Structures are given as structure tokens and as C-alpha cells.
Amino acid sequence: MVSPTLAFEDIQGTVLRRRPERYCGRYILYRVTNGAGARRMVERILPHVTSAANWDAPKPYTVNLVFTWQGFKALGIPDRILNSFPEEFRAGMAARAEILGDTGESAPEHWVRPLGSNDVHIGVVISAGSEADLAEPIRIAMSAYEGIPGVEPIYRIDVGVPSTGREHFGFRDGIGSVSIIGSEVEPLPGQDPVMPGEFILGYPDETGSVAPMPQPEVLGKNGAFLAFRQMYCDVGAFRRYLQANARDKDDEELLAAKMVGRWRSGAPLSLSPEKDDPALGADPLRNNDFRYYEDDPRGLKCPLGSHIRRCNPRDGLTGSIVNVNRHRLIRRGSAYGPELPADQVQDDGVDRGIVFIFMGASLIRQFEFIQQAWINNGDFVGLGEEVDPLVGPNNGHGTHTIPARPIRRRLTGLPRFVTVRGGEYCFLPSISALQWLSRGQY
Ligand code: HEM
């Protein structure tokens, strides 16, 4: 297949390019009550927006700009254009709570304000290799609205990588990722390259055709949809659950790995089912190089219901009608909040968790599908009502089946370890779309 040529200089960088292993970032959300003011702000930030072409140089930081549907409205975009966006984007994440399984403590009425209200309009996503390098993009983002009536920052969250280099539950993260055809990034062993139209609008997708996109083309092409999601992690509850249900310390590690599908070091159970192998976990040439269908059809190594096997079943659904490559997403997760000290098993009341940015060409087919059909449901692998043991809405009665010989193990009484604090559906326009938006000639 001929690789499509991607317009790197027009595509906002975060879709195609990864951040360094250590980084810090700030996400700032703005409310707009004056469309002309917001257009002026976009115009000011525009020269600083990082494309996929200049991601690694010359600046030591990256700036990306996103809009909610309410934001496009506040900018003064007319209905004929607003209506060309898909329904789920127009509705916003809070309105899709039932589909996403955001119920109980995760329901929008408990979200941190202003998330899930109609007040979030523009988001600036900043990242840098160090705190010192973060100062300049923050100054750019803050000065962009200065003196402009009708634009104000209403939310900000600082993110990064904890000192352990792992997310709060103690796992190395960001290993399983998508290889995009045409991105000029070599696929790692085990990565099946996916057509760019699955993630960026205006290119052929896995069906071989170019999907319809928001109109006019200058607004849609080279853009991507983005789900912003803040999730609290109850680290104390996770540690207590492991202690209470494991036979000994080694078994605690095994149970944790059986929930995620990888040991805390990142080593996949599929390649190292009996014990952790930190060298394997750290080796990008090996730590993704596995499949499920032939090597582990029953989940004896990596349980069918584990987090990574649910979120990316790889070839494990061969023979079913599901085409896994139509349900991949680009994932940029960052920790927020301080670490819970290693020896503590009680929550200290401090907010901590992950802010995720999921990107793709379709919120409904990618983010919502994974959330609804794979994370919050077990039917697709014959597990009935079992949901994701780590991130699913367990309520104290959750179960997780761990296939084993001679008899399987089953974790019971799983509580909720992750609670949604809020989120927004956004659109990440191309650089030329940002220019078009700032000119206001709609
Ligand atoms: C607080 C919530 C979450 C935590 C703590 C978490 C943690 C993890 C960890 C530790 C891994 C293994 C490392 C890796 O493969 O990169 C992982 C993988 C992954 N997660 Fe999550 N995750 C969370 C929520 C989600 C959600 C909501 C989704 C999707 C809607 C998701 C999608 C994925 C995907 C696609 C992978 C890679 C699977 C693969 O390619 O093998 N995660 N996650």
C-alpha cells in the first residue's frame, strides 16, 4: 500500500508525536463570552502552536489548541457549520454519561466544575521537558487573553510524570501505542500500522476511503477529535485490595499484573507470564511484541478481562465481526496530584489521578466504543457483566476472572478504583483551520 503523504506542518503535533519520557505540562481551559475577543486570542496564540513538523525543535516546549462545540458556537460560527459536526461532539461528554458508564460517583453532577458545564470553550495544552521550560508557554497562554474582553481562564490542571516514572497505581504507562501509516515513525515490533484516516480527518482510513468530515474542508481536514478526561485514582483502595486478596507479597504483584495485563515494570504477561522482567518492560523493541489469538486464546497468560486486553484486543477477536483497527485510539495520559507515599494504604484525601487525552477521527467509534463495549462490558469475550478490573465502574461486587490451570482464580468484591472527575469533547483543528477561525469570515 502506498503511504499517504501527511501534511505535518498543518497537523497539530500532539496527534502524531509523542512527548519525551519525562515531561511536565499544564492544561488551561477558557470561557468565551465575546466571539471577536476569542478570535483575537486564537490569532495571538497561533504563531506558537506546535505542528507535527516542528514538534522536537526549535522550541523546548509544545503548545496545542482545542475547542469544544460550545466554543465554536461562542466564536460565532454559524449553524450550517456547527451542524456538520457529529452528534456526540455537539452533545459533549457530560451528555454522553450513560453511554460512557459515567454513573454513581462518576456521574456529571459530581464532576469538578466547570468540567461538563457549557462554560468550557477553548483549551490550551502545554508540555515541556522541565518546569523551567514550562514558564514561557504559560506566559504565552496567559498573555494571549490579556486586555481582551470576554475571554477568561476558568480551569487549569498541572500534569506530569511522577518521580517514580510510573502512574499512581505504580505501573509504567504509555507503552501500548498506535503506529500510524505515513507518520514517518518506524513501527515497533508488534505494532500493526494503522491507516492515518483513523486518527486524522481527510485521509484514507482502514476501509480504504476518506470519511466525511466537518465542513468547510479548511475546518475539518487535518483535524482530530479529542476526549479530555480527568480521573481520580484511589491508590489506597487498590493497595488494600491487593493486600486483602493475595496470598503473599509476590501474589500481590501477580494479581496487580493480572488486572492490567502487564507487570508494574511494563513487562507484558503475554511474554513473561510467571514473573516480572523489568528489562523486558523497559525495552521498546520487545515490550509490545505479542499477540493473543494463537499464543494465549483462553487468557491463561494475559486474562481476557485485563485492562490492556480489553482496550486493545490486538488479534484476539479474530473470527468475530469486530475489526480492532477501527477501534484504536491515540492516548496521552499524564498524572496529576502528588504521589501517595509507598507505605500508605489509606487515602490521604488529596486529589490524584490521570488526565487523559484520547484522540482519533471518531469519538463514537473509538473512545466511546472502547469505553462502552470493552471496558464496561464483558460480553465481547464471554465474560458477561464483568467490567475492567482497574478502571471499570466496580461497586464492591465486581469480579475479575483469571484463567489458570488446573482451576481458574476469580477476584471478587472489587471496589471502584477510578472515578471520573470530569471531561470534555474537543476538536483539535489544523493550523490552517486555526487561521481560518481567527479571521472570522465564516
Ligand atoms: C485512571 C484510569 C486508567 C489507568 C490507571 C490506566 C492504566 C493503564 C496502564 C498501566 C496500561 C499499561 C501500559 C501500556 O500498555 O501503555 C494501560 C494501557 C492502555 N490503556 Fe489504560 N488506564 C486508564 C484508563 C484508560 C481508558 C479510560 C482507556 C480507553 C478508553 C484506556 C486505554 C488504554 C489502552 C488503549 C492501552 C494500551 C493497550 C495496548 O495497546 O496493549 N485506559 N492503561
Side-chain angles (χ1 to χ4, degrees):
M1 190 183 307
V2 183
S3 287
T5 308
L6 303 184
F8 295 133
E9 67 298 330
D10 197 35
I11 298 171
Q12 291 206 54
T14 189
V15 198
L16 289 176
R17 306 289 179 233
R18 299 185 68 160
R19 296 172 296 207
E21 192 122 317
R22 297 275 176 175
Y23 65 88
C24 37
R26 178 171 291 184
Y27 302 156
I28 309 170
L29 305 179
Y30 300 79
R31 174 174 44 208
V32 171
T33 46
N34 176 321
R39 293 195 291 272
R40 179 95 184 89
M41 174 186 158
V42 173
E43 193 183 8
R44 283 185 186 172
I45 293 199
L46 192 52
H48 307 282
V49 172
T50 319
S51 75
N54 60 11
W55 190 249
D56 296 318
K59 293 180 185 152
Y61 57 80
T62 62
V63 176
N64 288 124
L65 203 52
V66 301
F67 299 80
T68 62
W69 189 72
Q70 295 293 341
F72 283 144
K73 247 169 111 170
L75 238 64
I77 292 191
D79 284 351
R80 93 190 121 74
I81 297 178
L82 291 172
N83 292 337
S84 71
F85 282 91
E87 190 190 331
E88 69 280 5
F89 174 69
R90 286 187 267 151
M93 190 184 279
R96 308 285 286 179
E98 211 160 303
I99 288 162
L100 296 170
D102 293 346
T103 54
E105 293 160 60
S106 290
E109 63 258 35
H110 303 303
W111 288 5
V112 185
R113 292 294 133 178
L115 301 179
S117 70
N118 284 339
D119 287 342
V120 176
H121 297 145
I122 300 182
V124 178
V125 177
I126 296 169
S127 72
S130 69
E131 289 282 342
D133 286 336
L134 213 51
E136 185 170 343
I138 289 175
R139 191 191 51 71
I140 290 166
M142 299 316 276
S143 57
Y145 75 90
E146 263 168 25
I148 294 180
V151 183
E152 56 167 331
I154 52 170
Y155 191 68
R156 93 164 207 225
I157 186 157
D158 288 328
V159 295
V161 183
S163 65
T164 53
R166 300 181 176 187
E167 55 75 55
H168 286 298
F169 290 124
F171 294 85
R172 196 189 156 94
D173 199 4
I175 306 170
S177 59
V178 186
S179 164
I180 304 172
I181 294 172
S183 66
E184 293 184 357
V185 180
E186 276 298 302
L188 293 167
Q191 285 184 321
D192 287 331
V194 179
M195 289 294 278
E198 291 295 322
F199 310 103
I200 304 162
L201 301 180
Y203 296 91
D205 63 21
E206 287 285 307
T207 67
S209 49
V210 178
M213 53 188 167
Q215 292 299 319
E217 190 171 301
V218 63
L219 176 59
K221 193 171 163 79
N222 289 324
F225 289 97
L226 180 151
F228 169 92
R229 201 153 159 91
Q230 183 178 336
M231 286 177 279
Y232 162 72
C233 295
D234 191 344
V235 179
F238 188 64
R239 290 180 185 164
R240 286 198 304 281
Y241 184 85
L242 292 176
Q243 280 183 3
N245 289 275
R247 296 169 188 141
D248 53 35
K249 279 272 167 210
D250 285 348
D251 198 41
E252 276 185 39
E253 291 309 299
L254 179 68
L255 293 187
K258 291 284 186 185
M259 289 194 214
V260 169
R262 290 186 186 269
W263 299 90
R264 297 201 207 230
S265 71
L269 281 175
S270 301
L271 296 179
S272 184
E274 308 290 337
K275 57 177 177 34
D276 195 0
D277 179 348
L280 167 64
D283 184 352
L285 295 179
R286 292 190 293 147
N287 62 16
N288 254 312
D289 198 5
F290 59 92
R291 299 184 191 276
Y292 300 121
Y293 183 64
E294 279 181 7
D295 303 341
D296 188 21
R298 295 180 44 214
L300 287 162
K301 296 185 213 167
C302 181
L304 304 172
S306 62
H307 179 64
I308 68 162
R309 198 160 171 168
R310 283 174 184 269
C311 291
N312 176 14
R314 300 181 183 229
D315 64 339
L317 304 183
T318 304
S320 82
I321 53 159
V322 179
N323 175 355
V324 170
N325 279 354
R326 297 282 281 154
H327 308 288
R328 302 297 311 279
L329 38 75
I330 295 170
R331 186 173 55 111
R332 311 267 182 250
S334 309
Y336 74 91
E339 295 147 50
L340 186 69
D343 54 351
Q344 234 166 281
V345 293
Q346 291 302 335
D347 192 22
D348 53 6
V350 179
D351 195 13
R352 62 173 60 77
I354 297 190
V355 180
F356 267 108
I357 284 182
F358 298 106
M359 286 168 286
S362 164
L363 291 162
I364 200 167
R365 194 181 69 242
Q366 295 168 319
F367 172 66
E368 291 192 349
F369 179 90
I370 295 177
Q371 189 66 36
Q372 184 180 33
W374 291 348
I375 289 186
N376 288 342
N377 200 314
D379 282 336
F380 76 111
V381 279
L383 289 172
E385 291 185 352
E386 266 188 25
V387 304
D388 190 303
L390 184 72
V391 313
N394 285 301
N395 52 8
H397 306 288
T399 59
H400 176 53
T401 304
I402 304 175
R405 287 207 179 100
I407 45 166
R408 69 174 182 207
R409 277 176 89 173
R410 177 170 273 163
L411 296 179
T412 57
L414 279 166
R416 183 193 279 275
F417 299 123
V418 169
T419 304
V420 180
R421 285 273 195 255
E424 295 289 343
Y425 282 164
C426 303
F427 188 70
L428 183 84
S430 68
I431 310 279
S432 43
L434 291 174
Q435 281 156 0
W436 179 83
L437 286 166
S438 71
R439 282 197 292 268
Q441 286 153 8
Y442 315 130

